[in-house]
Amino acid sequence: MTRRRAIALIFGVLFVVFVIAAAATLFVVRDRLIAAVDEDLKNSVETTATFLETTGITPEEAAELDIEFSERAIVVVDGRTPTFVVTAGTSTDPLPLPDVSASAIVARVGEPFHADAVEGDLQYRVISTELPDGSYLAVAQPLDAMQSALRALAQALFFALLLVFATLGVIFWLLLRASMRPYNAMVETAGAIADGHLERRVPTEVGDPLLDELAESLNSMLDRIETSFEEKELAEERLRQFVADASHELRTPLTSISGYSELYLSGAATEADEVQTQMTRINGEAARLGRMVDDLLALARLDERRTAPRGPVDLAVIVAEAAADHRAAHPDAALVDRVGDTGVAVVDGDRDALRQIVINVLANTVHHTPAGTPVEVSVGADDGSAWVRVSDEGPGMDAETAAHVFDRFYRADKGRARARGNSGLGLSIVSAIVADHGGTIDVESAPGQGTTFTIRLTRLP
């Protein structure tokens, strides 16, 4: 409901209540005044009857009396014709006579009743009594004074209504202005946020518990919205950087393939050894390109969170398998595996993805350590978590390199990594798989002190 409708409703209700109260007041006052007039009429008719009886004045004689002013009209009925003895008002300007019949006077003895004037809007209040000689006496009181008083009262109530409504209007306006100030602040804040000022917040502690709670809820929502926008901007920036890096990385093997193929097609290489070298380089770059595309597809699937079927996986078993595969692929690797007993480090996960973690971390030691560098991979469990640790005694990394080691396409030694066919995505895939399994991966390294990767996953009971 808008403020205007609320004010209109309040004033409408107040108007109806005031009109009802004013009408009730007018009716009560009118009844009281009529009751007072009736009481005066009773006294007057009794006094007049006593006067006529004691003085013996006939109606004809009473009519000839010189009365300059009479508050009431006096009527005598002797037979069927009423005789007006005294007319209300002054002798020079009498009031219109009451329109009363003899039958009404006779029928309503002692019972006050209303009668209109023979002309105009004047009304009378009439009461009658029976005289000892069998005739009837009626006294009529004009109600112009009472009606004037009622009109004055109605006007006073009307002006009081205007005054009350004007006062209430000012009070309501001030109260609404004060009460709407927090809402106006919320509207103003919302407008500022719509214009891009995401740092704005709704004022709190305005004195109303409900408004304070609403403001806190809105501020919490705005915090989440601002965080979402920041994350969105960061994601878009990462995406732009990822596309740029991927384009650059894909261009390198494609350039090599294109260059060697053009060299071969131009006929520059005629010797068998030269042709063999060119074809070998083209094949190697194509394989490198294929590995990079596979890694990109793997990251895309992980970003889409396509969850593969999961079940209990013994980390000791998959580490032993990955270590055996690593030795087969790199016979000169000085790898030691300490897997311990099976059945201890069992987690819920995707077996192939978890095996890929170990393979990628071990492959990273090959790319970033000299040949023959001792490497140790171990498995264990403690405090409800299972862990895999891969340590090498290579050159290590500084703090800045360690902070970016899981970034996509990040390589501390770009030249040597390309020469060995590294795509720059291996550890990014490891981080994504670990996060998808609800685990953590940490790196500890320092220049000249080797590097240790520790992967922790929730262990099944």
Side-chain angles (χ1 to χ4, degrees):
M1 180 180 293
T2 63
R3 283 178 287 180
R4 291 183 179 179
R5 292 182 61 186
I7 294 174
L9 179 60
I10 293 173
F11 273 83
V13 172
L14 290 176
F15 178 78
V16 172
V17 171
F18 193 93
V19 168
I20 293 175
T25 301
L26 289 174
F27 279 117
V28 170
V29 172
R30 179 178 176 274
D31 290 342
R32 295 290 179 86
L33 291 176
I34 289 177
V37 170
D38 291 345
E39 186 66 26
D40 288 344
L41 283 175
K42 290 178 181 179
N43 296 331
S44 178
V45 74
E46 292 176 359
T47 301
T48 303
T50 302
F51 173 77
L52 292 176
E53 182 180 357
T54 55
T55 60
I57 298 176
T58 65
E60 291 78 6
E61 295 173 343
E64 295 177 357
L65 295 176
D66 185 14
I67 300 177
E68 295 183 359
F69 172 78
S70 175
E71 185 179 358
R72 302 175 183 86
I74 300 175
V75 182
V76 174
V77 176
D78 187 6
R80 295 184 178 181
T81 303
T83 301
F84 286 93
V85 177
V86 177
T87 302
T90 63
S91 58
T92 58
D93 186 19
L95 295 176
L97 296 173
D99 186 11
V100 291
S101 62
S103 59
I105 293 175
V106 173
R108 297 186 177 185
V109 172
E111 178 185 350
F113 61 92
H114 268 81
D116 295 328
V118 295
E119 60 181 18
D121 297 330
L122 183 63
Q123 288 185 329
Y124 283 88
R125 188 71 171 167
V126 182
I127 192 170
S128 62
T129 185
E130 185 178 3
L131 297 176
D133 61 359
S135 61
Y136 293 87
L137 173 68
V139 178
Q141 171 72 45
L143 299 180
D144 55 341
M146 183 190 76
Q147 291 171 344
S148 297
L150 290 176
R151 283 193 295 269
L153 178 59
Q155 291 176 355
L157 290 175
F158 174 75
F159 287 113
L161 173 64
L162 294 180
L163 179 61
V164 169
F165 269 52
T167 304
L168 289 178
V170 174
I171 293 174
F172 273 117
W173 182 78
L174 294 175
L175 291 177
L176 282 175
R177 184 179 179 185
S179 63
M180 293 303 295
R181 190 175 295 114
Y183 296 101
N184 293 333
M186 293 180 185
V187 173
E188 191 270 335
T189 302
I193 293 172
D195 292 336
H197 302 283
L198 298 179
E199 75 283 355
R200 293 288 300 275
R201 292 295 179 269
V202 178
T204 57
E205 298 182 1
V206 297
D208 188 333
L210 293 177
L211 290 179
D212 290 341
E213 184 177 354
L214 176 60
E216 292 175 359
S217 300
L218 288 176
N219 287 338
S220 298
M221 180 186 69
L222 292 174
D223 290 338
R224 290 194 294 270
I225 292 175
E226 184 179 13
T227 302
S228 299
F229 272 100
E230 292 175 352
E231 292 177 351
K232 180 176 178 292
E233 292 177 355
L234 291 175
E236 290 176 351
E237 179 62 28
R238 287 196 299 266
L239 178 60
R240 287 191 293 267
Q241 186 63 41
F242 177 75
V243 171
D245 291 342
S247 300
H248 174 74
E249 296 296 331
L250 291 173
R251 186 183 300 113
T252 302
L254 286 174
T255 301
S256 298
I257 293 173
S258 177
Y260 282 115
S261 62
E262 289 178 1
L263 185 63
Y264 172 77
L265 292 175
S266 67
T270 57
E271 298 295 332
D273 291 343
E274 293 177 350
V275 172
Q276 178 67 27
T277 299
Q278 292 171 4
M279 293 300 104
T280 300
R281 295 299 302 274
I282 290 174
N283 183 70
E285 292 299 321
R288 176 185 170 194
L289 184 61
R291 288 192 297 272
M292 191 176 300
V293 171
D294 289 340
D295 288 344
L296 288 172
L297 290 175
L299 282 173
R301 286 192 294 269
L302 289 170
D303 288 343
E304 292 178 3
R305 297 190 179 277
R306 297 179 182 176
T307 304
R310 297 185 179 184
V313 178
D314 192 335
L315 294 182
V317 174
I318 65 170
V319 168
E321 294 175 353
D325 293 344
H326 185 78
R327 291 191 187 96
H330 307 280
D332 58 342
L335 175 63
V336 177
D337 59 284
R338 304 181 185 281
V339 298
D341 297 332
T342 59
V344 175
V346 179
V347 299
D348 180 43
D350 177 6
R351 177 182 177 84
D352 293 336
L354 294 177
R355 189 167 178 269
Q356 185 68 34
I357 291 176
V358 183
I359 291 174
N360 284 14
V361 177
L362 291 176
N364 184 74
T365 64
V366 175
H367 297 311
H368 296 286
T369 61
T373 299
V375 178
E376 179 181 293
V377 57
S378 56
V379 181
D382 55 24
D383 299 331
S385 65
W387 50 264
V388 177
R389 184 173 293 117
V390 178
S391 301
D392 65 63
E393 298 179 12
M397 300 177 287
D398 56 29
E400 181 180 359
T401 302
H404 297 281
V405 74
F406 298 111
D407 294 350
R408 299 176 183 184
F409 293 113
Y410 182 82
R411 289 190 296 265
D413 185 357
K414 296 179 173 59
R416 182 162 56 86
R418 287 196 183 97
R420 298 192 180 189
N422 183 22
S423 66
L425 297 172
L427 291 181
S428 299
I429 293 175
V430 170
S431 177
I433 294 175
V434 171
D436 188 51
H437 282 72
T440 60
I441 180 169
D442 299 317
V443 58
E444 297 179 6
S445 185
Q449 298 183 12
T451 302
T452 298
F453 290 93
T454 303
I455 302 160
R456 287 188 176 273
L457 300 171
T458 302
R459 180 167 64 94
L460 291 178

